[in-house]
Coordinates of all heavy atoms in Angstrom, one line a residue:
K84 N 102.6 22.2 65.3 CA 101.3 22.7 64.9 C 100.8 22.1 63.5 O 101.6 22.1 62.6 CB 101.2 24.2 64.9 CG 101.4 24.8 66.2 CD 101.2 26.3 66.2 CE 102.2 27.1 65.4 NZ 102.1 28.5 65.5
V85 N 99.6 21.7 63.4 CA 99.0 21.2 62.2 C 97.6 21.8 62.0 O 97.0 22.2 62.9 CB 98.9 19.7 62.2 CG1 100.3 19.0 62.4 CG2 97.9 19.2 63.3
H86 N 97.2 21.8 60.7 CA 95.7 21.8 60.5 C 95.3 20.4 60.3 O 95.8 19.7 59.4 CB 95.5 22.6 59.2 CG 95.7 24.1 59.3 ND1 96.8 24.8 58.7 CD2 95.1 25.1 60.0 CE1 96.8 26.0 59.0 NE2 95.7 26.3 59.8
R87 N 94.3 20.0 61.1 CA 93.8 18.6 61.0 C 92.7 18.6 59.9 O 91.7 19.3 60.1 CB 93.3 18.1 62.3 CG 92.7 16.7 62.2 CD 92.1 16.2 63.5 NE 93.1 15.8 64.4 CZ 93.6 14.6 64.6 NH1 93.2 13.6 63.7 NH2 94.4 14.3 65.5
I88 N 93.0 17.9 58.8 CA 92.0 17.8 57.7 C 91.0 16.7 58.0 O 89.8 16.8 57.7 CB 92.7 17.5 56.4 CG1 93.9 18.6 56.2 CG2 91.7 17.6 55.2 CD1 93.5 20.0 56.3
S89 N 91.5 15.6 58.5 CA 90.6 14.4 58.9 C 91.4 13.6 59.9 O 92.5 14.1 60.4 CB 90.3 13.6 57.7 OG 91.4 12.8 57.3
K90 N 90.9 12.4 60.3 CA 91.5 11.7 61.4 C 92.9 11.3 61.0 O 93.7 11.0 61.9 CB 90.7 10.4 61.7 CG 90.5 9.5 60.5 CD 89.6 8.3 60.9 CE 89.4 7.3 59.8 NZ 90.7 6.7 59.3
N91 N 93.3 11.2 59.7 CA 94.6 10.7 59.3 C 95.3 11.7 58.3 O 96.4 11.3 57.8 CB 94.5 9.3 58.7 CG 93.8 9.3 57.4 OD1 92.8 10.0 57.2 ND2 94.4 8.6 56.4
I92 N 94.7 12.8 58.1 CA 95.3 13.8 57.1 C 95.6 15.1 57.8 O 94.8 15.7 58.5 CB 94.4 14.1 55.9 CG1 94.0 12.8 55.2 CG2 95.0 15.0 54.9 CD1 92.9 12.9 54.1
F93 N 96.9 15.5 57.7 CA 97.4 16.7 58.4 C 98.2 17.6 57.5 O 99.0 17.1 56.7 CB 98.3 16.2 59.6 CG 97.7 15.2 60.5 CD1 97.8 13.9 60.3 CD2 97.0 15.7 61.7 CE1 97.2 12.9 61.2 CE2 96.4 14.8 62.5 CZ 96.5 13.4 62.3
H94 N 97.9 18.9 57.7 CA 98.8 19.9 57.0 C 99.8 20.3 58.1 O 99.5 20.8 59.1 CB 98.0 21.1 56.6 CG 98.8 22.3 56.3 ND1 98.6 23.6 56.8 CD2 99.9 22.4 55.4 CE1 99.5 24.4 56.3 NE2 100.3 23.7 55.5
L95 N 101.1 20.0 57.8 CA 102.2 20.3 58.7 C 102.6 21.8 58.5 O 103.0 22.2 57.4 CB 103.4 19.4 58.4 CG 103.1 17.9 58.4 CD1 104.4 17.1 58.1 CD2 102.5 17.4 59.7
M96 N 102.3 22.6 59.5 CA 102.5 24.0 59.3 C 103.9 24.5 59.3 O 104.9 23.7 59.5 CB 101.7 24.7 60.5 CG 100.2 24.5 60.4 SD 99.2 25.1 61.7 CE 99.4 26.9 61.5
R97 N 104.1 25.7 58.9 CA 105.5 26.2 58.6 C 106.3 26.5 59.9 O 105.7 26.9 60.9 CB 105.4 27.5 57.8 CG 104.7 27.3 56.5 CD 104.4 28.7 55.8 NE 103.8 28.5 54.5 CZ 103.3 29.5 53.7 NH1 103.4 30.7 54.2 NH2 102.8 29.3 52.5
G98 N 107.6 26.1 59.8 CA 108.5 26.4 60.9 C 108.3 25.5 62.1 O 108.7 25.9 63.2
Q99 N 107.7 24.3 61.9 CA 107.5 23.4 63.0 C 108.5 22.3 63.1 O 109.1 21.9 62.1 CB 106.1 22.8 62.9 CG 105.0 23.9 62.8 CD 104.9 24.7 64.0 OE1 104.8 24.3 65.1 NE2 105.1 26.1 63.8
V100 N 108.6 21.7 64.3 CA 109.4 20.5 64.4 C 108.5 19.4 65.0 O 107.9 19.6 66.0 CB 110.6 20.7 65.4 CG1 111.4 19.4 65.6 CG2 111.6 21.8 64.8
F101 N 108.4 18.3 64.3 CA 107.6 17.2 64.7 C 108.5 16.0 65.1 O 109.6 15.8 64.6 CB 106.7 16.7 63.6 CG 105.8 17.8 63.1 CD1 106.2 18.7 62.1 CD2 104.5 17.9 63.7 CE1 105.3 19.7 61.7 CE2 103.7 18.9 63.3 CZ 104.0 19.8 62.3
S102 N 108.0 15.3 66.1 CA 108.7 14.0 66.5 C 107.8 12.9 66.1 O 106.8 12.6 66.7 CB 109.0 14.0 68.0 OG 109.6 12.8 68.4
I103 N 108.2 12.2 65.1 CA 107.4 11.1 64.5 C 108.3 9.8 64.6 O 109.4 9.8 64.0 CB 107.0 11.3 63.1 CG1 106.2 12.6 63.0 CG2 106.1 10.2 62.5 CD1 105.7 13.0 61.6
E104 N 107.8 8.8 65.3 CA 108.6 7.6 65.6 C 109.9 8.1 66.3 O 109.8 8.8 67.3 CB 108.8 6.8 64.3 CG 107.5 6.3 63.8 CD 107.6 5.3 62.6 OE1 108.7 4.7 62.4 OE2 106.6 5.2 61.9
D105 N 111.0 7.8 65.8 CA 112.3 8.2 66.4 C 113.0 9.3 65.7 O 114.1 9.6 65.8 CB 113.2 7.0 66.5 CG 113.6 6.4 65.2 OD1 112.9 6.7 64.2 OD2 114.6 5.7 65.1
Q106 N 112.2 10.1 64.8 CA 112.8 11.1 64.0 C 112.3 12.5 64.3 O 111.1 12.6 64.5 CB 112.5 10.8 62.5 CG 113.1 9.5 62.0 CD 114.6 9.5 61.9 OE1 115.2 10.1 61.1 NE2 115.2 8.7 62.8
T107 N 113.1 13.5 64.4 CA 112.7 14.9 64.5 C 112.7 15.4 63.1 O 113.7 15.3 62.3 CB 113.7 15.7 65.4 OG1 115.0 15.5 65.0 CG2 113.5 15.3 66.8
I108 N 111.6 16.1 62.8 CA 111.4 16.6 61.4 C 111.0 18.0 61.4 O 110.0 18.5 62.0 CB 110.2 15.8 60.7 CG1 110.6 14.3 60.7 CG2 110.0 16.3 59.3 CD1 109.5 13.4 60.3
F109 N 111.8 18.9 60.7 CA 111.5 20.3 60.6 C 110.8 20.5 59.3 O 111.2 20.0 58.2 CB 112.8 21.1 60.6 CG 112.6 22.6 60.3 CD1 112.1 23.4 61.2 CD2 112.9 23.1 59.0 CE1 111.9 24.8 61.0 CE2 112.7 24.4 58.7 CZ 112.3 25.3 59.7
T110 N 109.7 21.3 59.3 CA 108.9 21.6 58.1 C 108.8 23.1 57.8 O 108.6 23.9 58.7 CB 107.5 21.0 58.2 OG1 106.8 21.6 59.3 CG2 107.6 19.5 58.4
M111 N 108.9 23.4 56.5 CA 108.7 24.8 56.1 C 108.1 24.8 54.7 O 108.8 24.6 53.7 CB 109.9 25.6 56.1 CG 109.7 27.1 55.7 SD 108.7 28.1 56.8 CE 109.8 28.4 58.2
G112 N 106.8 24.9 54.6 CA 106.2 24.9 53.3 C 106.3 26.3 52.6 O 106.9 27.2 53.2
G113 N 105.7 26.5 51.5 CA 105.6 27.7 50.8 C 106.8 28.0 49.9 O 107.8 27.2 49.8
G114 N 106.7 29.0 49.1 CA 107.7 29.4 48.1 C 107.2 30.6 47.3 O 106.2 31.3 47.7
E115 N 107.8 30.7 46.2 CA 107.3 31.8 45.2 C 107.1 31.1 43.9 O 108.0 30.5 43.3 CB 108.3 32.9 45.1 CG 107.8 34.1 44.3 CD 108.8 35.2 44.3 OE1 109.1 35.8 45.3 OE2 109.2 35.6 43.2
S116 N 105.9 31.2 43.3 CA 105.5 30.6 42.1 C 106.4 31.1 40.9 O 106.7 32.2 40.8 CB 104.1 30.9 41.7 OG 103.2 30.4 42.6

Side-chain angles (χ1 to χ4, degrees):
K84 292 187 295 187
V85 300
H86 289 111
R87 181 185 282 271
I88 311 304
S89 72
K90 62 181 179 63
N91 70 319
I92 304 176
F93 305 90
H94 168 230
L95 308 180
M96 295 173 67
R97 298 170 177 173
Q99 304 302 302
V100 176
F101 299 90
S102 180
I103 303 177
E104 297 186 22
D105 61 344
Q106 300 291 290
T107 50
I108 302 173
F109 174 77
T110 60
M111 181 65 79
E115 186 174 303
S116 299

